[in-house]
Amino acid sequence: MLHFKKTKTWPLLLVSFALTFLISLCVFAALKMAPFGTSSILANDSAVQYIDFFTYLKHALAGTAGKAYSFSNSLGGGMYANWTYYLLSPFNLIFVLVSRHALPVAMLFVTALKYSAAAATAQCYASHHAGARWYTLVFSISYGLSGFLVANFLNIMWMDGVILLPLVVLGIDRLFETHRIMPYVLPLSLSFITNYYIGFMIAIFAVLYFGWRWAIQHQTHLLRKIGLFAGGSLLSGMLAAVVLIPTYFALAASRLSSAGADFSVKALYSLLDLPSKFIPGSFNFDQLSNGLPNLYMGMIALLGAVCYFLAASIPVRERLVSGGLTLLLILSIWLNPLVLIWQGFRAPVWYLYRHSFIVIFWLLILGLRGLAHLPSVSRFRLGMASIATAGCLMIPTILRMATHKYVTALNLTLGGVFLLVAALLLYSIRSRLLPQKWLVSGIVILLVLDMGTNAFTSLKAISFVPAADFTVTSKVLQAGYDDAKKLSSGGFYRMNADSQRSMDDPYQYNFNGISTFSSVLNTSTINTLTNLGAIGSAGRVKNNDLTWPLESLLGVKQLLIVNTQSKKTGTKAYQQVASRIISNPRYDLSAYKLVGHNNYFNIYQNPDVLPVATQIYRKIPTQVQANPVLQQNSYFETLTPQANQTMLTTSDFSGISVDNVKPLTTLTNAVATKVNKKNAASITLTVNPTSEQQYLVMGENMRKNMAISINNIPVKNDPDTGSKTVSMPINSTKPTTITLTFNRGLNQIDLDHFALYTLNRTAFKQTIATAKQEAPQQRIQNGRVTLTTKANNSGYIMLTIPYEKGWQVNSKKVTLQNYRGFIGLKVPTSRSTFTLTYHTPGITQGWWLTIIGVLVAIGVTVYEYWPSNRRHLKQTKRI
């Protein structure tokens, strides 16, 4: 049997959990987050993405939203990657149990719970190696409130892997000590299941840690241990296969967005192309220094890590190997080629240093061992090391005060004080200047102040969303969408609105929409919609400024427009909703029918909306100019047997005048150049009065480089990619004025795709009527489409549902095709009924591997723990 010291360690487990939880709540209360104030813990992605997914989780588990497939996922999409990236944490069950309006408060407590759980698992690791020593609390609390967890409070789905990392490493230690693999297999497989992205990073570190354990001391039965480690890692992958395999297929189909991992040969060659990675801005100390807040681990733990390399009682061989691994981990934050490995061969988007929790945990391991061997560090070395550490931290920080907003005189002073007190306390313990219980009490107090202060000052610099911004806005929008649903005549349809809380409103309010913001959003969906005139970028697509013809094509039946005539305009709720208007004025509303209203929204219905499935008579030309109006024309031209008149045709401006701009002979794709580079410049255009609907198209460069106004009303811009299409005023008596003003500092602007288009209403109405008449009978559900075609049909059907490989059809006579990003069907020309069903790619293979893995794991557990098979365990070597 393994002879542990009889000192109980479980009280320290409770202390580390409770103390971390208390510090977290005190910090949140000091920041006045609900329920302790009017602010909230929501910020950035947690405010506009994650909280919507948690609401979707409530809908899905209640059976009111699609689980495997959802039409809230933009125009429709498989949901498996969303589940495995955002929603598989067991902590998320708390969100299911509370009301939607209480979600911000629930997220605060879940965040504190995850901080505390990370401290508790770290305490398990520390207690296993050091028993009930005082410095185990330094290890655990420093980990639970580390810079990574504090800085990534909003990326709440990453924290489960951080919680499990100490258990994975402890499992490797147990493998070396007892030759048992299940203590390693279970936490590693859970890290893959709860968040495959963070699990991938943990798997890399597991290999490095195993190598370190092998290298620091002589190992008996080495080949056996390598075999057990490799087998345990493989078994972990098998247990998590039901998550990993379908997720890989989903990410591969979406061309692997920022959350995924690209394991392709092309990605590997890109990684090996090292010279191209060492470019200005990629290989410098700024990248390292910018990540230092994420690496914060407390002054006591930091000095402990320094002491590790100075302790005479630690073998030189071990210190050299540890130094090499430390250097490698530090460089992995500094050098882009190494960063790419940790990120799954994919450059991170926005949030950098995502694997810094690995570096923190490693340094804390060194700190734990260093504090354990503190008596072997001479007082002279300890003093000089403290001075050197202060210099290495303070001097670069002072030099960067002007360029790094998080570096303030107060933070610098507090850091210096904490470092000085930590050095004095460690020096006193080393020299036994005072009773140890006094010194340990001082260290615990310093630890609480140090980690709490860092958390407070770090979070104080962030702009948090007021609690009412979520609760009030959500209540109003939910009422608006509920009213719209009541006014619908049934059947499948999509909805749109000119005001939204976030791009993930379809998840929040459980309706079929257009917009989505997700790190695993299918790239094909983004490209299809942006080509048609939506605005989007990596991981997102937006629903603002869509044309009436485009909404008709996409099946947008209902439209919610903020009610400017409401008697509630002076209320906070109305102002919240009005402040979130995303679209420019909809001058084409005369085409819609007002069917209802409430205090905040007018509800319109589109009489010309097309069904999801329509007959098509010809394919869209392969080469279509990158212009959203021309794209829309091409789709509509396929809907009738004969090519009718073009839906949208170019119109000339009736007048043009320039101010400090060289004369222009044409506008579309022309280059506008200043005459005098120092002065302002603008172009003024006029449009003759008309009763026909017109749209102004401007390319992405124009939106970024010009301020544009229509009749002196500024056109709202958008930072994401894609051309913008805005409706023009309909006025039969007064001309419309368009003003294009150069942005400051720009001397030349490409007027890419800039043009005025007029809708041929007669041709449009005829096309809509024909398409509706010839459309197949259809029943649309999440992940299931049943169609009945007419006799003597064209033989081809298009569905405005994004094409994915998971769709299957139950008829051999029907062929699935990718029709420029949408589902296309080649069908018999005779009347027929068939069903398309969505099956998550890879789910069957994943389940079979997981089932086999579970059976193997049960067998291994019985073998390792059955009394007759227990092997004599060697005594654990203490730190």
Side-chain angles (χ1 to χ4, degrees), residues 237-562:
M238 292 177 66
L239 290 172
V242 69
V243 166
L244 299 179
I245 292 179
T247 299
Y248 175 78
F249 279 112
L251 295 179
S254 65
R255 298 184 186 178
L256 303 161
S257 57
S258 60
D262 187 352
F263 296 103
S264 65
V265 175
K266 182 179 179 181
L268 183 58
Y269 280 131
S270 175
L271 173 67
L272 295 176
D273 185 18
L274 297 183
S276 67
K277 305 300 178 184
F278 291 94
I279 56 177
S282 299
F283 185 77
N284 55 50
F285 285 98
D286 282 338
Q287 185 166 339
L288 179 61
S289 63
N290 285 334
L292 288 178
N294 274 26
L295 292 171
Y296 194 82
M297 49 184 274
M299 295 302 180
I300 299 174
L302 177 63
L303 289 176
V306 174
C307 289
Y308 171 84
F309 293 101
L310 302 177
S313 58
I314 298 177
V316 174
R317 174 185 174 180
E318 177 183 332
R319 284 182 281 168
L320 288 175
V321 174
S322 299
L325 181 53
T326 303
L327 179 62
L328 176 63
L329 291 175
I330 295 297
L331 289 177
S332 73
I333 292 181
W334 183 13
L335 301 181
N336 279 354
L338 296 179
V339 170
L340 292 177
I341 294 176
W342 288 98
Q343 307 300 326
F345 308 104
R346 186 74 174 178
V349 178
W350 197 358
Y351 297 111
L352 304 178
Y353 321 107
R354 300 181 181 190
H355 61 289
S356 57
F357 73 97
I358 298 283
V359 183
I360 289 173
F361 186 70
W362 169 249
L363 293 176
L364 285 173
I365 289 175
L366 300 185
L368 180 68
R369 294 175 68 81
L371 292 175
H373 290 270
L374 184 63
S376 70
V377 180
S378 69
R379 285 174 289 186
F380 175 76
R381 284 188 175 186
L382 180 58
M384 295 304 297
S386 300
I387 295 173
T389 301
C392 292
L393 289 178
M394 297 299 174
I395 294 175
T397 304
I398 293 171
L399 294 176
R400 284 176 164 75
M401 285 187 66
T403 57
H404 293 69
K405 65 179 182 180
Y406 56 81
V407 179
T408 65
L410 177 60
N411 291 350
L412 187 63
T413 302
L414 287 173
V417 170
F418 288 144
L419 180 60
L420 175 61
V421 175
L424 291 175
L425 286 171
L426 291 182
Y427 187 88
S428 300
I429 288 179
R430 166 64 183 81
S431 304
R432 300 180 180 180
L433 297 180
L434 294 171
Q436 188 178 38
K437 62 179 182 180
W438 292 5
L439 295 174
V440 170
S441 299
I443 283 178
V444 173
I445 293 172
L446 175 63
L447 181 65
V448 171
L449 292 175
D450 187 4
M451 304 310 296
T453 301
N454 176 67
F456 176 79
T457 55
S458 298
L459 295 178
K460 188 178 180 181
I462 297 172
S463 297
F464 290 92
V465 174
D469 188 72
F470 175 81
T471 56
V472 174
T473 307
S474 294
K475 184 178 180 180
V476 172
L477 284 169
Q478 183 69 69
Y481 284 111
D482 287 345
D483 289 345
K485 292 175 184 177
K486 293 175 185 177
L487 294 170
S488 173
S489 57
F492 181 89
Y493 61 92
R494 296 185 172 106
M495 290 195 283
N496 200 6
D498 73 335
S499 178
Q500 66 178 20
R501 198 201 66 81
S502 79
M503 283 175 279
D504 284 324
D505 277 1
Y507 289 117
Q508 171 93 213
Y509 310 113
N510 199 19
F511 67 93
N512 308 322
I514 304 293
S515 65
T516 297
F517 180 21
S518 167
S519 294
V520 292
L521 178 62
N522 195 314
T523 306
S524 176
T525 300
I526 302 171
N527 293 339
T528 300
L529 278 168
T530 53
N531 287 340
L532 282 168
I535 305 295
S537 63
R540 69 184 76 185
V541 65
K542 301 181 179 180
N543 61 313
N544 51 308
D545 295 319
L546 304 183
T547 67
W548 166 33
L550 179 57
E551 287 183 334
S552 299
L553 177 68
L554 298 179
V556 177
K557 181 179 180 180
Q558 290 184 310
L559 190 63
L560 278 69
I561 303 293
V562 173

Side-chain angles (χ1 to χ4, degrees), residues 795-843:
Y796 292 92
I797 293 174
M798 182 186 75
L799 288 75
T800 51
I801 297 175
Y803 175 84
E804 291 187 49
K805 290 184 177 180
W807 284 103
Q808 299 176 11
V809 62
N810 68 344
S811 174
K812 294 181 179 179
K813 296 180 180 180
V814 179
T815 305
L816 273 167
Q817 300 175 341
N818 186 343
Y819 188 65
R820 294 193 65 82
F822 290 129
I823 294 177
L825 299 172
K826 185 177 181 181
V827 300
T829 55
S830 58
R831 179 183 175 87
S832 59
T833 299
F834 52 90
T835 299
L836 285 78
T837 309
Y838 182 83
H839 299 274
T840 302
I843 189 69

Side-chain angles (χ1 to χ4, degrees), residues 4-15 123-124 126-128 130-134 136-137 878:
F4 290 104
K5 292 187 176 181
K6 294 184 178 181
T7 306
K8 293 183 178 180
T9 58
W10 64 264
L12 285 181
L13 186 69
L14 296 179
V15 169
Q123 185 65 44
C124 290
S127 295
H128 176 80
R133 305 292 177 83
W134 61 269
T136 60
L137 276 180
R878 297 286 178 178

Side-chain angles (χ1 to χ4, degrees), residues 97-136:
L97 300 176
V98 302
S99 67
R100 187 180 73 242
H101 300 303
L103 280 175
V105 175
M107 288 180 69
L108 180 144
F109 282 100
V110 168
T111 301
L113 283 173
K114 288 194 174 187
Y115 287 173
S116 305
T121 57
Q123 185 65 44
C124 290
Y125 175 89
S127 295
H128 176 80
H129 288 286
R133 305 292 177 83
W134 61 269
Y135 42 79
T136 60

Side-chain angles (χ1 to χ4, degrees), residues 160-201:
D160 292 72
V162 181
I163 294 168
L164 290 164
L165 174 61
L167 300 183
V168 172
V169 175
L170 178 57
I172 296 174
D173 289 332
R174 296 288 299 278
L175 184 152
F176 275 94
E177 296 161 3
T178 68
H179 290 177
R180 286 176 176 167
I181 65 170
M182 292 311 296
Y184 165 65
V185 168
L186 292 179
L188 181 59
S189 58
L190 285 175
S191 69
F192 286 133
I193 292 171
T194 55
N195 190 277
Y196 63 88
Y197 181 56
I198 299 299
F200 175 78
M201 302 178 192

